Amino acid sequence: MVWDHSVSSTPHHPSPKFSNSFANRIFSDVAGDITIVVDGEPFLLHKFPLVARCGKIRKLVADAKHTTNLSKLQLTNIPGGPQAFELAAKFCYGMNFEITTTNVAPLRCTSEYLEMTEDYRQENLVERTETYLNEVVSKSLEKSLEVLSTCENLLPLADHVRIPDRCINAISINACKEQLVSGLSRLDCNTSTGSSLLDLKDRCLDWWVEDLSVLGIHFYGRVISAMGQSGVRTDTIVASLMHYAEKTLKGIGKPQILNPARLTNPNLDDNGQKMIVESLVTLLPTEKSSCVPLNFLFGMMRVAIMVDATLTCRRELERRIALRLEMALLDDLLIPSCQTGDSLFDVDTIYRVLVHFLQRIDEEEEDDEENEECGYESTDEMGSPSHGSLLKVGRLVDAYLGEIAPDPYLSLSKFISMIEVLPDYARVIDDGLYRAIDIYLKAHPMLNENESKKLCKLIDCEKLSQEACNHAAQNDRLPVHLVVRVLYFEQIRLKNALSGSSGCLFSQKIISSSGIPSAAMSPRDTYASLRRENRELKLEISRMRVRLSDLEKEQVVMKQGMMDKSSNNGRTLLTSISKGIGRMGIFRAQDGDVKQKKSQGKKTTARRNKRYSIS
């Protein structure tokens, strides 16, 4: 069936004319005999063309015969409002008009409301709109998206006639088809060169990623869910979520100090923002392999805090950030606080992120231990990947502590909690921690001696560099006991540097065989390193035993030779001369004897070489 985008029916009356007067009257040569008021707007019409196609108006007219006011009917809450009813009235009068993606949804809902079905007239308005939806809209992603956007104000009747469901299904299917076509185009891109390659790649981009932002969050969430089920690529879904957030959320990706007063009296706009944030978080892909950019997650976290999103929403963002915290930047962690009288930065949120991160590290280490129990040992000489991530986060946290330390409203308990949340082996050196504590002491001169000692006790003087030790030795803000400890360890370091053997022994103690300082190694990595050292020592002991056995054999041979020599001291000179002549006769022996003696010589040489290679 070919759809001509126009609607007409055989008129039963002279073609009516729609007046532009205030009353929106429809009149013809025959005076109107009924006034229908739609949401306060009156329409002067004729009963016969209306009751011929509208079941609802037929019933209302039949019920009104028993009343005195038969010439006036009230229609309230009609979907699409007066504009959609006017088009339905034109259809009843047989006037031609075009069905488009803009009016098909209101017309379908209005025809359902007025009961313009095949029970009253063939090819009625319900049938006409259904034909357009099935034959035109469902075959195009763009048209389905346009129709879906017009259904926002037609609920719940639009859901009743399944317009959104059909549009969402068409969008997901057509998007999947377009990605298959674009995938083939990208394969063709490999054979293209020059400007044609760039043009083709531009055409391969998913244009609908940006167009989905015209939808409300309710329909948008349903579309994204349908796309995930239909097989649309995860990276495309993530790109769509990011674009939708940038278009609908205010201030995402723009860190700023927020006004806490907005949270006590949120307006309607803030409530809408809250719904959008919570919905987008639930739409994020659940696959661990999905790469949601960290800056986007941090931006969502800032907005979630600003609009006071639910605890579940914020905890989910914290968990996702913790999965790749080692890739974060310092600026990402500087989330402004929204609580009155609190510190300038939201330290509690970062603390919870670190707790999630440490839980993830523990799970990875447990998995590694299970693999080792099954016979799969790590061959990485630089430690496990989880320990590498922990070292990166340790450096990041030290830099973060240095940024929040000047905050005069940051309490000592929170600052200490942020330092103690990481284990000791997360820091190779404590220079960054020392710098942060020094800044905090400078910004909080009101700390008493006990508080200063409690804070400075967290510094490991053995893990300070030479430059940090020199600075600490002259720092008047540090407690005296810390300065004494720094000088003590500096003296030990100087003493070991002057004595070669002691220095070598000291370096062997603090440097493991894996090349990583033992103080910076986790207990599991330390255990694995000791196991490797034990195996190497056992192998070396075995080699020494073999060498010792060979030396003992040589000693026995040497003793036997010395005993033979002492027993021959009484022999005569003639005997010695004859032996000398006999030795000279060796060179005159037969070829077989020569070859035999050569082979014996080679065996002796090989045996000596073997002993050398073992030693």
Side-chain angles (χ1 to χ4, degrees):
M1 179 178 179
V2 179
W3 187 255
D4 57 1
H5 300 278
S6 63
V7 174
S8 65
S9 62
T10 304
H12 298 277
H13 291 275
S15 298
K17 298 180 181 178
F18 286 76
S19 174
N20 291 327
S21 64
F22 176 80
N24 289 328
R25 294 186 306 151
I26 299 177
F27 63 91
S28 64
D29 297 338
V30 180
D33 55 0
I34 187 172
T35 300
I36 298 180
V37 181
V38 179
D39 295 337
E41 293 192 24
F43 290 85
L44 182 59
L45 302 170
H46 303 84
K47 294 179 183 178
F48 183 74
L50 295 178
V51 299
R53 289 185 176 273
C54 302
K56 186 177 183 63
I57 294 179
R58 179 182 295 187
K59 295 175 183 178
L60 292 175
V61 170
D63 295 339
K65 289 181 180 180
H66 305 288
T67 63
T68 57
N69 190 6
L70 182 60
S71 62
K72 189 174 183 179
L73 296 177
Q74 293 279 349
L75 296 179
T76 57
N77 298 325
I78 185 170
Q83 294 80 11
F85 177 78
E86 182 177 350
L87 291 177
K90 285 184 178 182
F91 179 80
C92 293
Y93 278 86
M95 299 182 65
N96 291 331
F97 63 90
E98 184 180 5
I99 293 182
T100 63
T101 56
T102 305
N103 61 26
V104 65
L107 278 175
R108 177 65 183 88
C109 293
T110 302
S111 63
E112 186 72 17
Y113 177 87
L114 296 175
E115 300 178 16
M116 302 176 68
T117 62
E118 298 299 295
D119 296 336
Y120 301 98
R121 183 66 61 89
Q122 291 183 354
E123 295 186 358
N124 212 342
L125 188 56
V126 170
E127 180 65 21
R128 294 293 185 90
T129 52
E130 283 290 329
T131 303
Y132 185 84
L133 288 171
N134 296 330
E135 297 187 3
V136 178
V137 176
S138 62
K139 297 180 180 180
S140 170
L141 192 157
E142 184 178 5
K143 287 183 171 60
S144 300
L145 187 57
E146 292 174 0
V147 173
L148 183 61
S149 63
T150 62
C151 295
E152 299 282 352
N153 300 322
L154 300 176
L155 300 175
L157 189 55
D159 278 331
H160 176 71
V161 297
R162 299 186 64 255
I163 298 177
D165 290 340
R166 286 181 284 178
C167 290
I168 291 171
N169 185 55
I171 290 172
S172 60
I173 292 176
N174 289 312
C176 205
K177 289 180 180 178
E178 287 198 7
Q179 284 202 340
L180 291 175
V181 174
S182 64
L184 296 176
S185 299
R186 288 189 178 94
L187 292 177
D188 294 338
C189 286
N190 296 331
T191 59
S192 304
T193 56
S195 60
S196 60
L197 174 62
L198 299 176
D199 296 340
L200 187 55
K201 285 185 177 180
D202 291 338
R203 291 196 301 270
C204 292
L205 296 177
D206 296 317
W207 56 268
W208 50 264
V209 169
E210 298 182 358
D211 289 3
L212 287 180
S213 58
V214 301
L215 298 175
I217 187 61
H218 174 67
F219 283 146
Y220 178 79
R222 293 171 61 179
V223 169
I224 292 299
S225 300
M227 285 184 171
Q229 295 175 0
S230 63
V232 177
R233 292 196 308 269
T234 303
D235 57 342
T236 306
I237 293 178
V238 171
S240 177
L241 291 171
M242 294 175 59
H243 187 270
Y244 189 88
E246 291 174 358
K247 290 293 183 181
T248 56
L249 297 177
K250 297 179 180 179
I252 188 169
K254 298 178 181 179
Q256 53 185 340
I257 302 299
L258 306 175
N259 183 11
R262 297 186 60 188
L263 299 180
T264 58
N265 298 307
N267 52 34
L268 294 178
D269 185 61
D270 289 336
N271 291 333
Q273 299 272 290
K274 178 180 178 180
M275 183 185 300
I276 292 174
V277 171
E278 294 172 356
S279 299
L280 291 180
V281 171
T282 59
L283 293 173
L284 291 174
T286 56
E287 298 87 351
K288 291 184 178 181
S289 59
S290 62
C291 187
V292 182
L294 269 178
N295 58 350
F296 173 70
L297 293 176
F298 277 106
M300 291 287 291
M301 176 65 74
R302 291 187 178 93
V303 180
I305 295 173
M306 179 181 68
V307 300
D308 194 21
T310 61
L311 188 64
T312 303
C313 173
R314 284 179 285 177
R315 293 296 181 270
E316 176 64 18
L317 288 172
E318 293 168 3
R319 186 189 66 82
R320 288 179 176 272
I321 290 173
L323 291 177
R324 289 182 289 119
L325 183 60
E326 63 273 16
M327 301 173 62
L329 301 177
L330 176 59
D331 292 340
D332 296 332
L333 303 183
L334 300 177
I335 301 176
S337 177
C338 293
Q339 297 181 4
T340 307
D342 199 359
S343 57
L344 296 178
F345 299 100
D346 195 337
V347 181
D348 295 334
T349 297
I350 302 302
Y351 180 86
R352 290 191 296 268
V353 170
L354 288 173
V355 172
H356 286 296
F357 170 77
L358 293 176
Q359 292 175 355
R360 169 202 140 194
I361 294 297
D362 291 339
E363 293 175 358
E364 292 179 356
E365 290 182 350
E366 290 177 359
D367 294 339
D368 292 341
E369 291 177 358
E370 291 178 359
N371 293 334
E372 288 184 359
E373 292 177 358
C374 296
Y376 300 99
E377 295 187 2
S378 176
T379 58
D380 188 3
E381 296 183 355
M382 295 305 294
S384 63
S386 60
H387 186 227
S389 301
L390 189 60
L391 294 179
K392 292 180 181 179
V393 172
R395 292 191 294 267
L396 180 64
V397 171
D398 288 347
Y400 175 73
L401 291 171
E403 289 295 324
I404 65 175
D407 181 7
Y409 301 103
L410 180 61
S411 63
L412 179 63
S413 60
K414 283 190 176 182
F415 191 70
I416 292 178
S417 298
M418 286 297 300
I419 296 175
E420 293 179 338
V421 67
L422 292 179
D424 293 337
Y425 54 85
R427 295 180 174 91
V428 177
I429 59 174
D430 276 8
D431 286 11
L433 179 60
Y434 166 74
R435 172 180 172 274
I437 291 177
D438 184 45
I439 295 175
Y440 188 86
L441 292 174
K442 184 177 181 180
H444 300 78
M446 303 303 294
L447 293 178
N448 56 44
E449 184 177 358
N450 291 331
E451 292 174 338
S452 299
K453 288 182 179 179
K454 182 179 179 181
L455 179 59
C456 294
K457 188 169 60 176
L458 301 175
I459 301 175
D460 188 351
C461 298
E462 295 183 73
K463 294 162 65 175
L464 291 178
S465 65
Q466 182 69 39
E467 183 180 359
C469 289
N470 294 337
H471 186 277
Q474 303 175 6
N475 194 343
D476 297 335
R477 289 183 292 271
L478 299 179
V480 177
H481 80 281
L482 179 62
V483 177
V484 172
R485 286 171 54 199
V486 170
L487 294 175
Y488 171 73
F489 286 108
E490 187 66 17
Q491 184 179 7
I492 293 178
R493 184 182 303 174
L494 181 61
K495 181 179 178 181
N496 291 328
L498 293 176
S499 58
S501 60
S502 299
C504 295
L505 180 61
F506 181 74
S507 62
Q508 290 177 0
K509 288 182 179 180
I510 64 172
I511 303 297
S512 65
S513 62
S514 61
I516 300 178
S518 60
M521 296 183 68
S522 65
R524 189 190 64 80
D525 291 333
T526 303
Y527 176 71
S529 177
L530 291 176
R531 289 179 58 188
R532 288 194 296 268
E533 290 181 3
N534 192 23
R535 287 195 297 267
E536 294 175 359
L537 289 175
K538 288 182 178 180
L539 181 61
E540 186 65 25
I541 290 174
S542 300
R543 291 174 179 173
M544 294 295 292
R545 286 177 178 174
V546 173
R547 183 179 180 185
L548 180 61
S549 177
D550 292 339
L551 290 175
E552 289 176 350
K553 292 179 181 180
E554 290 182 359
Q555 184 181 11
V556 171
V557 173
M558 291 176 63
K559 287 183 178 180
Q560 186 66 31
M562 293 176 64
M563 291 175 62
D564 294 339
K565 185 177 180 181
S566 61
S567 63
N568 292 332
N569 288 334
R571 295 181 180 180
T572 60
L573 179 61
L574 180 61
T575 305
S576 300
I577 294 174
S578 64
K579 286 184 177 181
I581 296 174
R583 287 194 297 270
M584 293 176 62
I586 294 175
F587 299 100
R588 300 175 184 176
Q590 296 180 357
D591 295 338
D593 296 334
V594 174
K595 291 182 180 179
Q596 182 178 2
K597 293 183 180 295
K598 285 184 177 180
S599 62
Q600 293 177 354
K602 290 180 179 180
K603 289 182 181 179
T604 304
T605 305
R607 183 168 63 252
R608 292 178 180 176
N609 291 336
K610 183 176 181 181
R611 291 199 301 270
Y612 178 79
S613 63
I614 291 176
S615 62

